[in-house]
Amino acid sequence: MSFEEVFKSALGNSSLGSFYDSGDISGNYAVSGDVYGHLANVYEKVSDGNWKLIQQIVPDDVQPDTFFGASVSISGNYIIVGAPKGYEHNLAGSVYVFELQADGSWMQYQKIMPVKGDRSFGSSVAISGDYIIVGASEDGPRDPNSTAQEGAAYIYERIDGGEWKFAQKLSDLDRMSSGYFGVAVAISNNYALVGAHWTDKDSGAAYMFERSMRGNWLLVQKLIADDREEYELFGRSVSISGKYAIIGAPFESENIPLNDNQHGRQILAGAAYIFERGRTGNWKQVQKLVSSDRSGGDLFGNVSISGDYAIVSATLEDKGIGKMPDKPVAGAAYIFQRGEDGYWSEIQKIVPSDRSTNNSTAFGTKVAIWGKNALVISMHGNCYIYEQRPNRLRNLWLPAAFTVLFVAIVIGTRIIINKRTIWTNKPPRPPKPTDIRR
C-alpha cells in the first residue's frame, strides 16, 4: 500500500504573493486557507471517488487584513477558520465556525470572539467533536506598549448541540515573556496539546492538558525532547490522536556534520518526537523520528498523526533537483506507520507531481492526515491530497500470478487426463504360459 497523489488544486497566484499556509482533512472533506483571498476552500470526495473544490467560504462580516484563513480545522460537520488579524496592529482576532448543511453547502454557524480581546486570537485552531481550542500566541501583558508575547490558548465547549461557549483559558506554568504559548494547538477527546516553541531559550516545549470529571482542563505534563538543546523550536507543530502525540522540532540539528552548510543555510535538519500515554496517564517519549535522507536545512518538523499513521514534512528539502538559483528548495513529506511492535517506521517519501516547477516551492508548509488520506499544503498556493492505495506493481503482478496458476492447473489437469487415457487404452496383457497349458 502506498500514498498516491489524487488531487492538486492550484488556486494561489505566486505573482500576487497569494498562498495557503493552513489545511486539514477529515473523512470526505478537506479545507485550506487563503489569507490574501480572505477565504477558505472546501474540497469534497464526490460519488465518483474524485476530489473537487465545492465551495469557497467567507465570513458574513468579511474585512480585509483580518488574516481570515491563517488557520483551519475540520471535524465531522464543522469547519473552523481563524482570523487573527494583522499582528502589527495589536488587534484581537476571531474564529468562525461553519456547519455542513443538508444540501451539501457550508454556512457560517457562529463567530467566536476572545474574552478579553487577546492579540492574535485564532493564529492556531483545532476542533474535536464538541471541543474547540484556539491559540493566541502573541497574547501578552495589557500594556499596549509591551512587545512581550507569552501566549495563551482557549477552550470552547458545545453543550446539547448549541453554540460553543467559552470554558477556560489555558496558560503554561513558565509564563515566559516570549514563549509563544499557543503557536500550535491540537485536541483529541479529553486531551489538549499546546506548543510553545520559544520557551526555555527557544528549545521549546509542549503542554498537555486533560479534562477532569468536573469539566476543568488541567495541565498534567510539560513535554520536552529527551535530547533537547537550545534553539530547536520544539513545539512549533503539534498533533494528537488517541494515546499518541507527535511534536515537531524543525531546527533540531543533532548528528548533522558541522560542515554541512547547503545553499548557505544553517544546520537545521529537524526532527519529530512521538509521545505515548501510559497506563498511569503519564506521557513518555517513545521515539524520535527523522527522515531517511535528512540533511542540514531541511526543516523537517511540520507534523500530523492519525491512528497508526503520521506525516512529517520537510519544507526546505531539495534532494535531486539540483542547485538552481530560481529553485533553491522544493520540500517533501514523509509517511510513518506504527508496526505491531510499536515502532514507527518511515514507509514512504512523497513529493508533488509538479516538483520540477516553482509551483511546488516549500511543499509541506502544513500537513494533515486522517485515515487513508493525507493533505499537504505548499507555500505557492497548491493543495495536494494523497490516498493510500495498493501498489501499482502489485496490481500488475497479482493478475499475472493468477493467470500463470490457472494455466498450470489446466496443463496439469490435461496431463493427468492423458495419463489416465493411455493407461485405459493400452493393449491387453499377453497370456501367461500357465494359461496356455490350460
Side-chain angles (χ1 to χ4, degrees):
M1 302 286 283
S2 62
F3 285 81
E4 297 182 9
E5 183 182 314
V6 296
F7 177 81
K8 182 189 74 172
S9 175
L11 298 177
N13 188 332
S14 60
S15 64
L16 297 178
S18 181
F19 65 93
Y20 303 99
D21 58 2
S22 64
D24 197 12
I25 191 167
S26 176
N28 291 328
Y29 292 95
V31 59
S32 65
D34 183 353
V35 295
Y36 287 106
H38 317 301
L39 55 85
N41 300 283
V42 182
Y43 311 93
E44 181 183 6
K45 185 178 181 180
V46 294
S47 57
D48 61 2
N50 295 317
W51 288 84
K52 71 174 185 178
L53 174 67
I54 61 168
Q55 188 176 347
Q56 292 182 318
I57 55 178
V58 296
D60 293 342
D61 57 350
V62 59
Q63 296 178 5
D65 302 326
T66 63
F67 277 35
F68 178 88
S71 60
V72 298
S73 183
I74 182 172
S75 175
N77 294 334
Y78 294 93
I79 290 174
I80 56 175
V81 184
K85 292 198 174 182
Y87 302 137
E88 68 276 12
H89 299 305
N90 276 344
L91 297 176
S94 57
V95 171
Y96 296 83
V97 181
F98 294 83
E99 183 181 35
L100 179 62
Q101 306 299 303
D103 62 358
S105 64
W106 294 80
M107 295 189 64
Q108 183 175 319
Y109 178 81
Q110 183 181 350
K111 180 180 180 180
I112 299 175
M113 296 292 292
V115 178
K116 296 182 180 180
D118 289 337
R119 290 178 295 178
S120 75
F121 178 87
S123 57
S124 59
V125 296
I127 181 173
S128 175
D130 291 329
Y131 302 112
I132 288 176
I133 183 170
V134 181
S137 59
E138 295 192 8
D139 174 48
R142 299 302 165 196
D143 181 1
N145 298 319
S146 173
T147 59
Q149 296 151 340
E150 296 173 355
Y154 300 81
I155 297 286
Y156 293 82
E157 297 184 5
R158 189 183 189 214
I159 301 175
D160 298 329
E163 292 189 342
W164 274 268
K165 302 293 184 181
F166 170 73
Q168 190 173 335
K169 179 179 180 179
L170 308 180
S171 60
D172 64 89
L173 296 176
D174 302 319
R175 298 302 291 171
M176 301 292 293
S177 61
S178 294
Y180 267 83
F181 179 89
V183 67
V185 296
I187 192 165
S188 177
N189 298 321
N190 292 328
Y191 289 91
L193 184 61
V194 183
H197 66 312
W198 281 8
T199 294
D200 300 338
K201 294 185 179 180
D202 302 348
S203 60
Y207 300 81
M208 186 68 71
F209 294 83
E210 181 180 4
R211 188 176 186 273
S212 69
M213 297 294 292
R214 295 184 178 181
N216 297 321
W217 291 84
L218 306 176
L219 175 60
V220 294
Q221 199 168 343
K222 177 182 179 179
L223 306 181
I224 59 174
D226 290 345
D227 59 351
R228 72 185 315 217
E229 294 183 6
E230 294 181 359
Y231 312 114
E232 292 189 333
L233 304 190
F234 176 92
R236 181 62 182 83
S237 177
V238 302
S239 181
I240 184 172
S241 175
K243 66 176 184 178
Y244 294 99
I246 185 170
I247 303 170
F251 281 17
E252 185 273 345
S253 303
E254 185 185 14
N255 298 328
I256 298 298
L258 294 178
N259 60 354
D260 187 350
N261 191 29
Q262 296 181 343
H263 301 270
R265 294 193 300 270
Q266 299 181 32
I267 307 167
L268 310 172
Y273 298 81
I274 297 284
F275 289 80
E276 181 180 2
R277 187 179 74 249
R279 295 180 179 179
T280 61
N282 290 328
W283 293 81
K284 181 181 179 180
Q285 180 183 319
V286 294
Q287 194 171 339
K288 176 182 178 179
L289 305 181
V290 296
S291 62
S292 56
D293 57 353
R294 75 189 311 233
S295 63
D298 283 351
L299 299 190
F300 176 91
N302 288 323
V303 302
S304 180
I305 190 169
S306 175
D308 291 331
Y309 291 91
I311 183 172
V312 187
S313 67
T315 53
L316 301 187
E317 180 275 344
D318 56 2
K319 288 23 167 233
I321 65 169
K323 298 182 179 181
M324 297 180 291
D326 61 339
K327 185 68 175 178
V329 295
Y334 301 80
I335 304 291
F336 294 82
Q337 182 179 12
R338 180 178 177 270
E340 295 181 356
D341 59 355
Y343 186 80
W344 294 80
S345 302
E346 181 187 319
I347 61 172
Q348 188 178 349
K349 175 183 178 180
I350 57 178
V351 296
S353 57
D354 57 353
R355 181 176 170 86
S356 61
T357 70
N358 268 334
N359 290 332
S360 65
T361 299
F363 176 81
T365 55
K366 179 68 177 179
V367 294
I369 192 166
W370 189 93
K372 296 182 178 180
N373 298 323
L375 175 144
V376 184
I377 304 296
S378 75
M379 186 181 68
H380 277 210
N382 291 348
C383 171
Y384 303 82
I385 296 178
Y386 294 79
E387 287 187 1
Q388 190 183 37
R389 294 180 174 179
N391 293 329
R392 294 181 180 180
L393 184 60
R394 182 183 179 186
N395 288 342
L396 295 176
W397 275 104
L398 283 178
F402 280 118
T403 301
V404 172
L405 180 61
F406 176 76
V407 171
I409 292 174
V410 170
I411 294 175
T413 302
R414 288 180 178 178
I415 292 174
I416 294 174
I417 293 174
N418 290 337
K419 284 184 176 181
R420 289 179 178 174
T421 302
I422 293 172
W423 179 264
T424 304
N425 297 333
K426 68 182 180 179
R429 178 179 60 86
K432 294 180 180 181
T434 55
D435 296 334
I436 296 176
R437 293 191 186 101
R438 292 177 182 176

mmCIF file of all heavy atoms in Angstrom, residues 402-416:
data_model
loop_
_atom_site.group_PDB
_atom_site.id
_atom_site.type_symbol
_atom_site.label_atom_id
_atom_site.label_comp_id
_atom_site.label_asym_id
_atom_site.label_seq_id
_atom_site.Cartn_x
_atom_site.Cartn_y
_atom_site.Cartn_z
ATOM 1 N N PHE A 402 -2.151 -15.066 -11.008
ATOM 2 C CA PHE A 402 -3.355 -15.888 -11.122
ATOM 3 C C PHE A 402 -3.446 -16.538 -12.504
ATOM 4 O O PHE A 402 -3.894 -17.685 -12.636
ATOM 5 C CB PHE A 402 -4.599 -15.037 -10.848
ATOM 6 C CG PHE A 402 -4.854 -14.822 -9.390
ATOM 7 C CD1 PHE A 402 -4.829 -13.539 -8.859
ATOM 8 C CD2 PHE A 402 -5.105 -15.886 -8.540
ATOM 9 C CE1 PHE A 402 -5.047 -13.330 -7.515
ATOM 10 C CE2 PHE A 402 -5.331 -15.675 -7.187
ATOM 11 C CZ PHE A 402 -5.302 -14.406 -6.674
ATOM 12 N N THR A 403 -3.025 -15.804 -13.540
ATOM 13 C CA THR A 403 -3.050 -16.365 -14.893
ATOM 14 C C THR A 403 -2.108 -17.561 -15.010
ATOM 15 O O THR A 403 -2.464 -18.606 -15.556
ATOM 16 C CB THR A 403 -2.660 -15.288 -15.920
ATOM 17 O OG1 THR A 403 -3.583 -14.203 -15.827
ATOM 18 C CG2 THR A 403 -2.682 -15.850 -17.330
ATOM 19 N N VAL A 404 -0.881 -17.383 -14.494
ATOM 20 C CA VAL A 404 0.090 -18.478 -14.524
ATOM 21 C C VAL A 404 -0.422 -19.682 -13.749
ATOM 22 O O VAL A 404 -0.298 -20.835 -14.188
ATOM 23 C CB VAL A 404 1.443 -17.994 -13.950
ATOM 24 C CG1 VAL A 404 2.405 -19.168 -13.784
ATOM 25 C CG2 VAL A 404 2.046 -16.932 -14.842
ATOM 26 N N LEU A 405 -1.011 -19.414 -12.595
ATOM 27 C CA LEU A 405 -1.552 -20.504 -11.788
ATOM 28 C C LEU A 405 -2.662 -21.240 -12.525
ATOM 29 O O LEU A 405 -2.731 -22.479 -12.520
ATOM 30 C CB LEU A 405 -2.062 -19.954 -10.452
ATOM 31 C CG LEU A 405 -2.672 -20.978 -9.490
ATOM 32 C CD1 LEU A 405 -1.625 -22.022 -9.105
ATOM 33 C CD2 LEU A 405 -3.199 -20.270 -8.241
ATOM 34 N N PHE A 406 -3.519 -20.470 -13.188
ATOM 35 C CA PHE A 406 -4.629 -21.079 -13.925
ATOM 36 C C PHE A 406 -4.110 -21.959 -15.063
ATOM 37 O O PHE A 406 -4.572 -23.086 -15.267
ATOM 38 C CB PHE A 406 -5.541 -19.984 -14.482
ATOM 39 C CG PHE A 406 -6.670 -20.500 -15.346
ATOM 40 C CD1 PHE A 406 -7.786 -21.096 -14.787
ATOM 41 C CD2 PHE A 406 -6.586 -20.400 -16.729
ATOM 42 C CE1 PHE A 406 -8.801 -21.580 -15.578
ATOM 43 C CE2 PHE A 406 -7.606 -20.873 -17.528
ATOM 44 C CZ PHE A 406 -8.722 -21.457 -16.953
ATOM 45 N N VAL A 407 -3.123 -21.422 -15.805
ATOM 46 C CA VAL A 407 -2.544 -22.188 -16.910
ATOM 47 C C VAL A 407 -1.893 -23.465 -16.397
ATOM 48 O O VAL A 407 -2.029 -24.549 -16.985
ATOM 49 C CB VAL A 407 -1.524 -21.331 -17.682
ATOM 50 C CG1 VAL A 407 -0.756 -22.181 -18.693
ATOM 51 C CG2 VAL A 407 -2.228 -20.175 -18.380
ATOM 52 N N ALA A 408 -1.196 -23.349 -15.268
ATOM 53 C CA ALA A 408 -0.546 -24.521 -14.690
ATOM 54 C C ALA A 408 -1.567 -25.577 -14.298
ATOM 55 O O ALA A 408 -1.362 -26.780 -14.495
ATOM 56 C CB ALA A 408 0.287 -24.105 -13.488
ATOM 57 N N ILE A 409 -2.681 -25.125 -13.725
ATOM 58 C CA ILE A 409 -3.722 -26.066 -13.324
ATOM 59 C C ILE A 409 -4.315 -26.766 -14.546
ATOM 60 O O ILE A 409 -4.531 -27.984 -14.558
ATOM 61 C CB ILE A 409 -4.813 -25.337 -12.520
ATOM 62 C CG1 ILE A 409 -4.254 -24.876 -11.174
ATOM 63 C CG2 ILE A 409 -6.027 -26.233 -12.316
ATOM 64 C CD1 ILE A 409 -5.207 -24.034 -10.381
ATOM 65 N N VAL A 410 -4.567 -25.987 -15.621
ATOM 66 C CA VAL A 410 -5.145 -26.567 -16.834
ATOM 67 C C VAL A 410 -4.184 -27.579 -17.450
ATOM 68 O O VAL A 410 -4.576 -28.700 -17.805
ATOM 69 C CB VAL A 410 -5.483 -25.451 -17.845
ATOM 70 C CG1 VAL A 410 -5.851 -26.057 -19.190
ATOM 71 C CG2 VAL A 410 -6.597 -24.580 -17.313
ATOM 72 N N ILE A 411 -2.913 -27.205 -17.575
ATOM 73 C CA ILE A 411 -1.923 -28.114 -18.167
ATOM 74 C C ILE A 411 -1.773 -29.365 -17.311
ATOM 75 O O ILE A 411 -1.728 -30.492 -17.815
ATOM 76 C CB ILE A 411 -0.571 -27.404 -18.335
ATOM 77 C CG1 ILE A 411 -0.700 -26.276 -19.363
ATOM 78 C CG2 ILE A 411 0.521 -28.382 -18.733
ATOM 79 C CD1 ILE A 411 0.554 -25.445 -19.505
ATOM 80 N N GLY A 412 -1.730 -29.189 -16.018
ATOM 81 C CA GLY A 412 -1.615 -30.328 -15.128
ATOM 82 C C GLY A 412 -2.796 -31.259 -15.231
ATOM 83 O O GLY A 412 -2.662 -32.489 -15.209
ATOM 84 N N THR A 413 -3.975 -30.673 -15.350
ATOM 85 C CA THR A 413 -5.178 -31.487 -15.463
ATOM 86 C C THR A 413 -5.150 -32.303 -16.753
ATOM 87 O O THR A 413 -5.508 -33.487 -16.768
ATOM 88 C CB THR A 413 -6.426 -30.589 -15.434
ATOM 89 O OG1 THR A 413 -6.428 -29.829 -14.219
ATOM 90 C CG2 THR A 413 -7.694 -31.417 -15.519
ATOM 91 N N ARG A 414 -4.726 -31.668 -17.838
ATOM 92 C CA ARG A 414 -4.659 -32.384 -19.120
ATOM 93 C C ARG A 414 -3.658 -33.523 -19.066
ATOM 94 O O ARG A 414 -3.884 -34.610 -19.612
ATOM 95 C CB ARG A 414 -4.296 -31.415 -20.236
ATOM 96 C CG ARG A 414 -5.417 -30.457 -20.600
ATOM 97 C CD ARG A 414 -4.997 -29.520 -21.711
ATOM 98 N NE ARG A 414 -6.096 -28.639 -22.083
ATOM 99 C CZ ARG A 414 -5.995 -27.692 -23.003
ATOM 100 N NH1 ARG A 414 -4.831 -27.496 -23.614
ATOM 101 N NH2 ARG A 414 -7.030 -26.926 -23.287
ATOM 102 N N ILE A 415 -2.522 -33.286 -18.399
ATOM 103 C CA ILE A 415 -1.515 -34.343 -18.274
ATOM 104 C C ILE A 415 -2.080 -35.530 -17.527
ATOM 105 O O ILE A 415 -1.914 -36.695 -17.908
ATOM 106 C CB ILE A 415 -0.261 -33.804 -17.574
ATOM 107 C CG1 ILE A 415 0.450 -32.789 -18.481
ATOM 108 C CG2 ILE A 415 0.692 -34.933 -17.189
ATOM 109 C CD1 ILE A 415 1.611 -32.093 -17.814
ATOM 110 N N ILE A 416 -2.790 -35.232 -16.455
ATOM 111 C CA ILE A 416 -3.385 -36.319 -15.659
ATOM 112 C C ILE A 416 -4.414 -37.083 -16.483
ATOM 113 O O ILE A 416 -4.460 -38.313 -16.493
ATOM 114 C CB ILE A 416 -4.031 -35.745 -14.381
ATOM 115 C CG1 ILE A 416 -2.936 -35.171 -13.476
ATOM 116 C CG2 ILE A 416 -4.841 -36.800 -13.665
ATOM 117 C CD1 ILE A 416 -3.472 -34.457 -12.273
#
